[in-house]
Amino acid sequence: MTLAAHFAVRRPEHTTVMDLDADRGEVIGLIGPNGAGKSTTLRALAGLLAVSDGEIRLNGTVVASSTHHTPAHQRRVGLVFQEHLLFPHLSVTDNVAFGPRARGQTRTQSRAQALGWLERLGVESLATRKPGELSGGQAQRVSIARALAGDPAMLLLDEPTAALDAAGAMSLRSQLRRHLREFGGVSIVVTHTALDAMVLTDRLVVLDGGSIVQAGTPADVAAHPRTLHVAALVGLNLVRGDAHDGVIRFADGTAIAASQRLTGPAFATFSPAAVSLFSSAPVGSPRNIWAGKVTSVAPHGDAVRVQVQTATTLLADITPAALAALDLRPGSPIWASVKATEVTIYPV
Amino acid sequence: MSSEDALRQSWPPLRLTAPALVALGFLVIPLVAVVLRVPWSSFVSDLASTGARNALWLSLVTSSISAGLCLLFGVPLAWLLARTQFRGRSLLRAAVTLPLVLPPVVGGVALLLAFGREGLIGRWLDTWFGVTIPFTAAAVVLAQTFVALPFLVISVEGAFRASDERYDDAAATLGASRWLTFRRVTLPLAMPGVFSGAVLSWARALGEFGATITFAGNFPGTTRTMPTEVYLALNSDPGSAIALSMVLILVSIVVLSLLRERWLTGVSV
């Protein structure tokens, strides 16, 4: 294993526990809400934070344990920040040459290497500029070049596309994908966007409340989310209840039928598009129906996304025509229903 | 509504403007009085007198050395205060700031008790090295450094704090030790603050009177600095005193204009 990270960071306010192994060339995605422990994990891996228990091994060497701390500058771990953090007083070339220079190469060697990396990232024409003269996308490319020029064994990226507009993020994402594939070490990407997670990573690790709650391929995690955060990221409704004979019952007494047979604690997911809304209680089967209140109405692509507060929060995508017919506004009473065939259930 | 109407409407109340004008006059009129009394015809010859020339030269040299010492020792202290965490740091900062509010005469007495022949440290300097500091040019430098150092430390610490600490993190992940990070990232980013700190401490050293005269005395040529010369000349040779005062006012104006962007408008990064 290139990376074996099994450690805990204990702070008065929160504790982060991490169990992660990764091989050369793997790209791991870390997702989770704010405060889930993503930044703590990155800082501990980079050597900017000491671990309380356990250890971190990088290429077989212990770089952190409760008794040992290899400082960041001796760790060969590259870090790409959300706001690029290029040194504002140095030119683009000198920023990228900073790593090789700090690791003892001559000025000429470092600059030659820097230019090589700038070329690979397609930003060699910016070599003489100062960071203040770059667009967000350009600056982030330079900062990736800077991190890679340090010849890291592991590359950490903290929301690399978050500061960019949609088009800029898309183009950086596809370029980043290529470079992470070519990079020989382990890459770890912290992200808040489903696209980054899907496009960039081989494996997703979902954090919540300071520990791992789910891990798997991006496709698997997206199809079977276990936290509301991930469900919201991939745009699914997620509810948790007790399954028995194809029916999941929830704490509030409601129930939904699903097409799969399963027994025990279970998650149920369904797309917002599968949810229908009614302004009065629909007649017929009482299953798969929730009574609630509208909490927000917002455009979503060609549809309108309505957030309904029942025992949980549900999302429903309806047509603008339906919105007009239902006369919805925040606070309106509403009934929501979903067809059994649209619900996926899986064990907790 | 015309701009004139707007002006009249927003004219501040007299109860505030009247005391404000008194304050302004109080600060400006004395300086104007100096300018009006400057014997312009003999200005150059007044400054060229041996006493004035010696004082001018001594002040320029000692305050420059003081500013240099402040930089050499104050910048690291500012870094320590801004970038490390240890118990009693706030106490340390209070100790650093104390000379700012301490009457300079008391500073001079304290320096005597520390570096005087019978002093805490001076005793050893005397017996081991045969070095006596009080009433020498070195004492002038020490007195000026004592009062000027807090200005530099506070200015530079503010600049270190204002610059994003994550730049230091970025440098560390690129393989830079803390020293290299300081040299190539932290210090260059704090340069405006270092500059204004240096200018401020130089100006403070140049104007130092109380600590200097207490700790260093006023021997012409070795410890009689400009402020002391002004004070003494006021009785014997008022023309020279006024001319020297005018020089100090001009220096202050130059310092102020140097700092205008960097200090008065807040810390720039």
Side-chain angles (χ1 to χ4, degrees):
Chain A
M1 282 294 150
T2 301
L3 172 71
H6 305 275
F7 65 86
V9 176
R10 292 183 211 290
R11 290 289 185 81
E13 329 80 82
H14 55 82
T15 296
T16 300
V17 181
M18 185 45 55
D19 276 293
L20 181 63
D21 291 290
D23 238 328
R24 289 175 58 78
E26 256 195 301
V27 182
I28 312 282
L30 283 186
I31 56 176
N34 288 330
K38 306 185 302 286
S39 302
T40 304
T41 302
L42 278 201
R43 291 182 66 79
L45 290 173
L48 299 169
L49 197 67
V51 305
S52 321
D53 295 316
E55 60 178 35
I56 301 173
R57 280 169 185 272
L58 194 57
N59 288 332
T61 311
V62 176
V63 294
S65 72
S66 54
T67 54
H68 172 79
H69 178 79
T70 305
H73 70 275
Q74 291 166 355
R75 246 185 226 200
R76 292 188 54 220
V77 175
L79 184 52
V80 174
F81 298 84
Q82 183 182 334
E83 308 93 346
H84 67 73
L85 292 183
L86 295 172
F87 304 127
H89 59 295
L90 298 180
S91 72
V92 162
T93 309
D94 286 340
N95 261 284
V96 181
F98 190 96
R101 191 95 179 90
R103 299 204 196 273
Q105 302 202 26
T106 67
R107 189 181 296 265
T108 325
Q109 284 172 330
S110 318
R111 291 193 155 219
Q113 279 191 23
L115 287 173
W117 279 109
L118 289 173
E119 232 163 84
R120 263 181 261 187
L121 269 295
V123 286
E124 69 275 17
S125 61
L126 309 172
T128 57
R129 298 226 198 140
K130 284 283 176 69
E133 302 162 353
L134 306 179
S135 74
Q138 291 170 336
Q140 202 54 293
R141 280 173 177 80
V142 174
S143 83
I144 292 164
R146 180 175 74 168
L148 288 170
D151 188 27
M154 174 161 69
L155 187 61
L156 309 174
L157 302 107
D158 190 3
E159 302 192 44
T161 64
L164 308 180
D165 60 36
M170 187 50 91
S171 104
L172 180 68
R173 195 174 289 128
S174 53
Q175 199 183 2
L176 195 53
R177 178 188 161 80
R178 204 175 68 241
H179 287 288
L180 294 183
R181 291 285 169 280
E182 289 168 4
F183 173 58
V186 172
S187 308
I188 297 183
V189 187
V190 164
T191 181
H192 265 308
T193 74
L195 266 173
D196 279 354
M198 298 301 145
V199 173
L200 296 177
T201 68
D202 303 316
R203 189 144 59 91
L204 277 183
V205 172
V206 183
L207 296 181
D208 200 14
S211 56
I212 298 176
V213 289
Q214 188 177 9
T217 64
D220 182 49
V221 170
H224 303 107
R226 289 172 174 278
T227 60
L228 285 173
H229 180 76
V230 174
L233 272 188
V234 297
L236 286 178
N237 285 301
L238 175 71
V239 281
R240 183 183 169 155
D242 265 307
H244 188 72
D245 253 0
V247 176
I248 303 193
R249 295 188 184 286
F250 303 107
D252 66 340
T254 59
I256 54 175
S259 39
Q260 300 106 307
R261 298 267 167 254
L262 187 71
T263 299
F267 286 115
T269 61
F270 45 94
S271 151
V275 179
S276 313
L277 296 180
F278 306 93
S279 53
S280 56
V283 287
S285 157
R287 276 176 190 165
N288 300 17
I289 292 173
W290 294 276
K293 274 194 163 51
V294 173
T295 47
S296 80
V297 178
H300 186 80
D302 288 339
V304 177
R305 176 157 286 187
V306 181
Q307 190 179 321
V308 179
Q309 189 62 45
T310 64
T312 66
T313 301
L314 294 180
L315 299 175
D317 287 351
I318 60 173
T319 62
L323 177 72
L326 288 165
D327 188 25
L328 293 183
R329 54 181 64 95
S332 308
I334 194 81
W335 282 262
S337 91
V338 58
K339 278 197 200 116
T341 50
E342 303 280 357
V343 178
T344 307
I345 62 174
Y346 44 95
V348 167
Chain B
M1 191 164 66
S2 77
S3 59
E4 250 183 31
D5 289 339
L7 188 71
R8 212 164 287 139
Q9 264 197 0
S10 65
W11 190 250
L14 193 65
R15 271 180 238 195
L16 292 177
T17 46
L21 287 173
V22 170
L24 193 66
F26 178 70
L27 290 176
V28 172
I29 290 169
L31 299 182
V32 173
V34 174
V35 176
L36 291 178
R37 281 288 302 280
V38 171
W40 293 108
S41 51
S42 62
F43 187 69
V44 176
S45 61
D46 279 339
L47 288 182
S49 77
T50 322
R53 232 181 32 227
N54 281 345
L56 200 68
W57 181 243
L58 181 70
S59 270
L60 288 179
V61 171
T62 52
S63 53
S64 298
I65 295 174
S66 294
L69 288 175
C70 286
L71 278 174
L72 197 61
F73 295 99
V75 171
L77 179 55
W79 182 85
L80 218 62
L81 288 172
R83 281 293 194 273
T84 61
Q85 287 181 348
F86 53 89
R87 284 165 66 91
R89 192 178 53 173
S90 49
L91 207 68
L92 188 71
R93 186 182 289 111
V96 169
T97 340
L98 191 62
L100 271 185
V101 289
L102 195 72
V105 175
V106 178
V109 171
L111 284 169
L112 263 180
L113 295 179
F115 295 102
R117 198 174 271 209
E118 300 295 311
L120 210 55
I121 297 171
R123 189 181 316 165
W124 306 112
L125 289 176
D126 193 33
T127 43
W128 290 351
F129 307 107
V131 173
T132 323
I133 291 178
F135 311 110
T136 63
V140 174
V141 171
L142 286 193
Q144 291 172 348
T145 308
F146 182 79
V147 295
L149 191 54
F151 284 86
L152 182 113
V153 173
I154 285 171
S155 168
V156 177
E157 191 203 344
F160 282 153
R161 283 186 184 283
S163 79
D164 197 331
E165 207 169 329
R166 291 177 308 164
Y167 286 120
D168 293 19
D169 292 346
T173 61
L174 292 169
S177 64
R178 273 193 128 172
W179 167 243
L180 188 66
T181 302
F182 171 79
R183 217 159 45 81
R184 291 209 52 207
V185 178
T186 321
L187 189 61
L189 287 179
M191 222 47 211
V194 173
F195 175 79
S196 51
V199 173
L200 268 179
S201 62
W202 183 78
R204 181 67 188 83
L206 189 71
E208 178 44 33
F209 174 68
T212 311
I213 203 161
T214 314
F215 182 47
N218 79 93
F219 301 111
T222 52
T223 72
R224 187 177 294 175
T225 56
M226 269 215 278
T228 327
E229 176 71 21
V230 169
Y231 179 73
L232 295 171
L234 201 52
N235 292 322
S236 56
D237 181 8
S240 161
I242 293 169
L244 280 173
S245 297
M246 192 61 222
V247 169
L248 287 173
I249 290 174
L250 286 175
V251 168
S252 306
I253 291 170
V254 170
V255 165
L256 202 61
S257 64
L258 276 176
L259 296 182
R260 198 178 40 148
E261 297 296 323
R262 300 163 191 277
W263 181 262
L264 296 182
T265 58
V267 178
S268 60
V269 179

